[in-house]
Amino acid sequence: MSTPVRAARTDPQGWRARVAQTALRCGAAAVAAVTVAVLHDAHDPGVLCPLRRFTGVPCPGCGSTTVFIEAGHGHWLAALTANPVTVVAAIGLLTAPLGGGAWWWSLSTGKRRGLLGAALGTAWIWQLNRLGVHLS
C-alpha cells in the first residue's frame, strides 16, 4: 500500500488532485461546522456525552461538538480550548491527502496505538481540568 502513496507524492499532477481533495474536505467541514452552529443556536440540546450526562465525568471526546460549533461561529480560540486534541485530529484528517496520511500509515501499529493512547489521555486530562472535575 505504501507504493501508490509514494508514487502519488512524487507525481506533480497528483499534487493538484491532492490539493483539490484537501480543499473539498475543508469546504465540506466548513459547511458542516456552520450548519451545526446554526442548528445549535436554534436548539441547544445540552450535554450530549452520555458519560458526562450520567456521571458528571467528561470523556476524552467531550468538547468535540463544541469545537465545531465554535468553529462554525468563527471563534477559533474557543474551538481550540474546547478540545485541542479534536482540533489537531480534524486538521490531520482534513489535510491527510497532502502527505500526513502517508506518514501516519508508515508508522508501525504499536506507534499508532501509542499516539492514539497519548492523545486520548491528553484529551481526558484536558477535559477534567477544563470542566473542574476532581476525581477522588
Side-chain angles (χ1 to χ4, degrees):
M1 182 171 245
S2 63
T3 305
V5 172
R6 190 170 292 138
R9 293 176 94 188
T10 59
D11 179 22
Q13 298 298 337
W15 175 252
R16 287 187 186 133
R18 289 193 313 276
V19 169
Q21 185 180 20
T22 300
L24 183 63
R25 285 179 178 207
C26 291
V31 168
V34 169
T35 302
V36 168
V38 169
L39 290 173
H40 183 265
D41 288 346
H43 173 71
D44 182 357
V47 176
L48 299 176
C49 175
L51 181 66
R52 184 169 165 214
R53 179 173 282 195
F54 295 119
T55 67
V57 177
C59 74
C62 277
S64 295
T65 304
T66 305
V67 167
F68 291 104
I69 292 168
E70 296 295 351
H73 284 299
H75 304 147
W76 305 112
L77 186 58
L80 183 63
T81 58
N83 192 330
V85 175
T86 296
V87 173
V88 170
I91 290 169
L93 290 171
L94 291 172
T95 61
L98 298 178
W103 170 80
W104 175 257
W105 291 111
S106 71
L107 297 174
S108 69
T109 302
K111 285 184 181 179
R112 288 195 309 264
R113 286 181 183 164
L115 283 172
L116 289 174
L120 289 174
T122 301
W124 195 38
I125 290 168
W126 180 271
Q127 293 308 318
L128 291 172
N129 191 16
R130 178 176 80 96
L131 298 172
V133 176
H134 303 287
L135 302 176
S136 49

